[in-house]
Amino acid sequence: MRFQSGFAARAERVAMETRAIERPSGVQQVLAPAGWSDVRIEAWLDWIEAKGFATPLSGDWLNGGVDAWAERLAATGVAEGVFDQAEAARFVEELSGAFRLGLAAPAASGPAAVGVVDLNDPGAAARLQAHAGRRAAARLGVQAADALAEALAGVADAVDRCEGPRGDCGDPSRNPALGRAAALARRCGASDADILRAIDGERPAMALEPMVEGAPLVALADRTQIAAGAPEVLLAAKAAPDGGLIVAFDPRDAETATAQTARALIDLGAVLALDGDMATNLADLTRLLTVALDLRSARPGPIALGLDGLLEALAARDDRTSQAQTFAELVAATAARTSAELASLRGPCPDWEDPETPRRHSAIGLFVDDAEARLRLGLGRVAAIDVFQTADGEIGRRLHPALASAISAAGGDVQAAERWTFGRRTLVEAPGIDHTALRALGFTDIELAAIETALGWAEDFDTVFAAPVLDPGFIRDVLGVEDGDGLLLTLLGVSEEAETAAARWVFGHGDLRDWPEAPAAIAALLADPAAAAADLRRAVEPFSDMPDLAIESMDWRTTSTQAARLLSQGALDGRRALRLSRAAPPAGPLLSLPNIDAARPEPVREAPRPAPTERVVERVVERERARRKLPDRRKGYIQKAAVGGHKVYIHTGEYEDGELGEIFIDMHKEGAAFRSLMNNFAIAISIGLQYGVPLDEFVDAFVFTRFEPAGRVTGNDSIKSATSILDYIFRELGVSYLDRVELANAGTDDLNADGLGDGKPDANAAVPAARFISKGFARGSAPDNLVVLPFGKKGELEARAAANSEAVACPACGDFSLQQRGAAWVCDICGAAPALQGGDQG
């Protein structure tokens, strides 16, 4: 067999790049075509490892796994006389080139279903019920394991968040949060032993894999009975809603669904994008894949070549249906000819031998329902919103390129479609709720700016109109709403209609179903792309030996009676097979449940309660991690000094009660890197202070740190030397805000004589209040003649206060009214001034 497709030559022009992909065994360097997403590369690596090529074989693309698989097929072909060595090498190059170009991808082999049950069989009901029960158990088991793991993690978190003795924090009777978490874990099915282990810090390490649904069961039904609504249709409908049942009406279709089938997927969009004649390219690709699939197993069998990307490739064309049928006819005819050619070389397949066409080798299917294979082609479900990976590795959303192309071809406005789908992400001119309406409710420009910023990433108003986007103090003090009372907009009196209109303006509609500007020619396509894709599959089904087994989605609350109606309608429409499944439910809570614990009545106690015994109870406090916001207009001070000749400016900001809330550090004539580092260090300290970290912790952590610049300090009347910039900064903060006098190391004679600030004040002179009170901050509320009384050194004041706190008897009159005046002692009663000896005060 010869291959003249030219895919290998075209693949040589594909740009390649080495990517770092995270795998279970670690980060792996992979050579792949540029532009492939990480998900696509991972899907290929999963397939390569499943084929037994877990270790990178070479530096070739995808680490040589694709070439190794193709060489294995070529060796089988040489052994069975399908082609010689030269043709085998050409086969490997062409197959690898087709995969590198993204024209096709191998899919999972095996039967599409696990067995066949005849609905007219008396035991069909029991078998269908058992099959549905196994699938439900697998689905609910994963959900239960998730809930249990989360509940046990909540038990461990309740202990970690507790502040108090370890014994009390681990006691559910003393730690209310732990009691609630343990009760929830018990309701989720955790044993008391599991809960106690979680209290000890053991967190469940459940390696939960995503649920992989088992293969469905085929129900062979009589078309007339199903169309007429016979009891058999309700029997099938009860097992059908979760996608676990295929209803077939022809024994041959039921048999093909359970046959061992080799599968591959063709991306028609990629084939159309190739240079050259499209029909020739598609025929060459079909021939290549047919040979590859036939050589995958020693025993010949049916093959399936899925025509994927039909809607993506044909969305912009008016003749979508006829074009799809043309492609299907070409693929089916080419696969049949190639299969017959292989039959002459490998021998006919006894299972599919047809007396009229004895050289027919295998059945040909045009449908492959394999999500992994679609990932290997970079294909997804056609919907208005397409999730993609950008060139820099970020995940983004866009209008699906196929729909955008169709809109453009029909003369529509693509940007208007994007605004309708994704929204405008702003409340400016929004219906229902705009900036004017919010200002009327009490919002200021500060809150509006925060809301506009959050609208860029949020997905609903509940996230935007809540803390931390809005300051809790603003919500409580200005809007008059307590946290936890309910949704903010509802509490502010905003109607549901106004909120819905604004939400659609900001966040979009999510689809193009009701887009008023949709071109009439493609309105049905934009309203329901999934239905349009299903119509194309039905159009090509007559060219396939296998029925279309793609899942048809139903509403997530569809009942078995409603499913029975869909099965009856499908039988009336002449469908060869039907597979139904409920759609995924909307995210988030779907029920508003009452608080059962609060509504539960107190149990009636027959015996009297024992007398309470007195005991000491320590209160266990759960740590609150809320950021305390500084006032917009706040006081503080600026301290200028020099450490080792390097000028340092410290600027502080305080809360209303005088507690330190922020610091700024500025240095002059330093490198940009060092200045930036100090600025960001100050920001980190400020955030810590606002989240409740005590200043003492920072002071103890950073004083006595040693690095340059260090040495003599000038310009500060309390500190004369420091071992580093950080040592000086936190000495200053400790002395000024914490009365940590032990950190002050300035002597009595250390005056500031270098021009960096003022000298020390005279202890006997009155000091104007303007020296300590900012005139701009006070805004005229402080009188101009306000002064601060004379003061001395802090050490003298403390000594005087300590001395005055002790009553000293006067030796002249005997009254305890002797007071120290400077260096002498004077009696306030008789005026005597006795000369007391040091330490002898009566």
Side-chain angles (χ1 to χ4, degrees):
M1 301 188 72
R2 297 184 179 277
F3 304 97
Q4 304 293 334
S5 61
F7 297 143
R10 292 185 180 100
E12 292 296 328
R13 300 194 294 268
V14 175
M16 307 292 287
E17 63 180 0
T18 302
R19 303 272 286 278
I21 303 297
E22 180 113 10
R23 303 292 294 165
S25 58
V27 178
Q28 188 172 340
Q29 300 296 323
V30 180
L31 183 65
W36 280 21
S37 67
D38 291 348
V39 174
R40 186 173 183 178
I41 296 174
E42 289 173 4
W44 271 104
L45 293 178
D46 291 340
W47 175 81
I48 290 172
E49 292 178 2
K51 294 302 175 184
F53 305 121
T55 303
L57 304 177
S58 70
D60 200 357
W61 83 288
L62 290 180
N63 297 340
V66 174
D67 289 345
W69 178 73
E71 289 168 358
R72 180 188 294 176
L73 300 180
T76 302
V78 171
E80 297 192 9
V82 176
F83 31 62
D84 56 24
Q85 291 291 346
E87 293 169 344
R90 186 67 177 172
F91 167 78
V92 172
E93 293 175 355
E94 294 296 320
L95 185 61
S96 178
F99 289 159
R100 188 188 303 189
L101 290 169
L103 305 179
S109 297
V114 293
V116 180
V117 56
D118 192 336
L119 290 182
N120 292 318
D121 190 332
R127 187 173 177 185
L128 290 177
Q129 184 177 5
H131 178 72
R134 286 191 296 270
R135 291 176 64 89
R139 173 175 55 85
L140 296 177
V142 172
Q143 297 177 4
D146 281 332
L148 180 57
E150 184 177 355
L152 291 175
V155 171
D157 290 339
V159 177
D160 293 342
R161 287 196 299 265
C162 171
E163 292 182 348
R166 181 68 182 179
D168 291 346
C169 289
D171 186 352
S173 63
R174 293 172 178 261
N175 185 348
L178 176 59
R180 294 190 297 269
L184 176 61
R186 183 181 283 177
R187 288 196 295 269
C188 289
S191 66
D192 288 354
D194 293 327
I195 296 174
L196 289 172
R197 294 188 188 104
I199 291 175
D200 293 337
E202 180 179 318
R203 294 177 180 268
M206 295 186 182
L208 297 175
E209 297 291 337
M211 186 185 70
V212 179
E213 293 186 354
L217 189 67
V218 177
L220 181 59
D222 183 273
R223 184 182 297 275
T224 305
Q225 291 179 339
I226 299 299
E232 287 79 7
V233 67
L234 188 59
L235 177 64
K238 290 180 178 179
D242 70 336
L245 189 70
I246 298 173
V247 179
F249 304 105
D250 186 275
R252 185 176 178 85
D253 287 338
E255 189 175 358
T256 57
T258 57
Q260 189 73 23
T261 307
R263 300 181 177 89
L265 209 58
I266 297 174
D267 182 2
L268 285 177
V271 177
L272 285 172
L274 277 181
D275 56 348
D277 181 64
M278 189 274 172
T280 302
N281 292 333
L282 184 58
D284 290 342
L285 180 62
T286 301
R287 175 180 171 83
L288 186 65
L289 293 176
T290 302
V291 174
L293 295 178
D294 192 80
L295 293 175
R296 290 176 68 171
S297 59
R299 186 175 184 276
I303 65 172
L305 293 173
L307 296 182
D308 217 327
L310 276 170
L311 186 60
E312 292 92 327
L314 304 174
R317 304 190 60 156
D318 296 333
D319 56 344
R320 287 191 295 272
T321 301
S322 61
Q323 280 294 320
Q325 291 175 337
T326 300
F327 294 153
E329 184 178 11
L330 175 61
V331 170
T334 304
R337 287 195 301 270
T338 306
S339 180
E341 185 178 355
L342 286 169
S344 64
L345 298 174
R346 302 187 74 193
C349 174
D351 290 342
W352 298 101
E353 186 174 0
D354 189 336
E356 297 182 2
T357 55
R359 295 179 58 135
R360 181 68 180 270
H361 186 248
S362 61
I364 307 298
L366 300 180
F367 304 101
V368 174
D369 188 16
D370 189 334
E372 288 294 325
R374 290 179 63 84
L375 289 178
R376 285 190 280 274
L377 288 176
L379 296 174
R381 183 175 62 91
V382 179
I385 298 177
D386 178 45
V387 179
F388 71 104
Q389 182 175 344
T390 62
D392 55 0
E394 298 294 328
I395 301 299
R397 300 190 309 167
R398 63 185 176 186
L399 188 65
H400 198 287
L403 299 185
S405 176
I407 293 171
S408 179
D413 187 346
V414 176
Q415 293 184 349
E418 291 174 343
R419 287 193 298 269
W420 178 268
T421 305
F422 299 104
R424 294 161 175 80
R425 296 291 168 171
T426 179
L427 282 173
V428 176
E429 300 180 357
I433 308 173
D434 59 3
H435 286 191
T436 302
L438 292 177
R439 284 193 176 94
L441 294 173
F443 289 77
T444 68
D445 289 343
I446 296 175
E447 284 74 36
L448 293 179
I451 289 171
E452 288 293 325
T453 301
L455 291 177
W457 53 264
E459 294 300 329
D460 53 54
F461 282 150
D462 296 344
T463 304
V464 175
F465 289 93
V469 175
L470 299 178
D471 182 67
F474 169 79
I475 298 175
R476 180 183 62 254
D477 300 335
V478 178
L479 301 181
V481 176
E482 291 292 336
D483 187 23
D485 288 349
L487 301 179
L488 183 59
L489 290 179
T490 303
L491 295 174
L492 293 177
V494 178
S495 67
E496 183 177 354
E497 294 78 9
E499 184 176 349
T500 300
R504 289 175 176 172
W505 173 275
V506 174
F507 303 112
H509 295 70
D511 57 43
L512 296 170
R513 186 179 305 276
D514 300 318
W515 182 36
E517 301 178 36
I522 59 171
L525 168 64
L526 300 180
D528 194 351
D535 290 340
L536 291 179
R537 290 199 308 271
R538 292 169 193 152
V540 303
E541 192 174 30
F543 301 94
S544 174
D545 292 331
M546 301 177 185
D548 177 16
L549 302 180
I551 293 177
E552 294 192 22
S553 180
M554 306 180 295
D555 184 78
W556 67 277
R557 296 195 71 178
T558 300
T559 64
S560 57
T561 303
Q562 293 168 331
R565 294 196 189 100
L566 294 175
L567 291 176
S568 297
Q569 186 61 44
L572 286 172
D573 293 341
R575 300 288 302 278
R576 291 170 59 179
L578 287 167
R579 184 180 181 186
L580 306 178
S581 181
R582 293 190 184 105
L590 302 176
L591 291 175
S592 179
L593 301 177
N595 190 341
I596 299 177
D597 294 334
R600 184 178 298 158
E602 288 289 333
V604 179
R605 301 180 182 272
E606 298 180 358
R609 294 183 180 181
T613 57
E614 184 176 351
R615 62 174 181 169
V616 177
V617 178
E618 293 189 19
R619 183 183 179 189
V620 179
V621 180
E622 294 184 54
R623 185 183 299 115
E624 181 183 1
R625 294 180 172 86
R627 186 172 181 177
R628 183 183 177 191
K629 186 179 179 181
L630 280 161
D632 294 334
R633 184 179 180 85
R634 46 189 175 268
K635 60 184 183 297
Y637 72 90
I638 300 176
Q639 172 67 57
K640 173 184 177 183
V643 178
H646 296 258
K647 291 184 182 180
V648 183
Y649 292 82
I650 304 174
H651 186 179
T652 67
E654 303 173 4
Y655 292 101
E656 292 90 339
D657 58 3
E659 185 177 348
L660 180 64
E662 68 178 357
I663 64 170
F664 297 93
I665 304 171
D666 194 14
M667 300 187 68
H668 286 247
K669 298 182 180 179
E670 304 294 336
F674 188 79
R675 288 201 309 271
S676 298
L677 182 63
M678 295 303 296
N679 289 337
N680 285 278
F681 174 79
I683 292 173
I685 296 297
S686 301
I687 292 175
L689 292 171
Q690 293 166 27
Y691 271 100
V693 179
L695 178 59
D696 269 321
E697 296 291 335
F698 288 127
V699 172
D700 293 340
F702 293 109
V703 293
F704 302 114
T705 53
R706 293 182 177 273
F707 59 86
E708 293 295 332
R712 177 177 174 80
V713 177
T714 56
N716 192 302
D717 59 359
S718 298
I719 303 167
K720 69 176 182 179
S721 64
T723 58
S724 66
I725 294 292
L726 295 187
D727 176 59
Y728 162 70
I729 291 170
F730 287 96
R731 282 179 183 270
E732 165 62 25
L733 297 177
V735 171
S736 300
Y737 285 97
L738 303 176
D739 293 334
R740 295 279 293 271
V741 294
E742 75 276 7
L743 299 178
N745 53 22
T748 58
D749 298 330
D750 291 328
L751 297 178
N752 182 19
D754 61 355
L756 291 171
D758 298 329
K760 295 183 179 180
D762 185 358
N764 297 319
V767 181
R771 181 182 177 87
F772 304 100
I773 302 176
S774 169
K775 185 175 182 180
F777 183 83
R779 287 181 173 172
S781 60
D784 293 337
N785 59 352
L786 185 65
V787 296
V788 178
L789 294 177
F791 62 95
K793 296 180 181 179
K794 187 172 182 178
E796 294 176 358
L797 294 176
E798 291 177 347
R800 185 179 302 172
N804 292 341
S805 64
E806 300 180 9
V808 181
C810 177
C813 65
D815 201 324
F816 287 85
S817 59
L818 201 61
Q819 301 291 335
Q820 187 175 11
R821 300 287 187 269
W825 290 86
V826 179
C827 179
D828 289 341
I829 301 299
C830 65
L836 299 180
Q837 300 297 323
D840 184 10
Q841 299 178 1

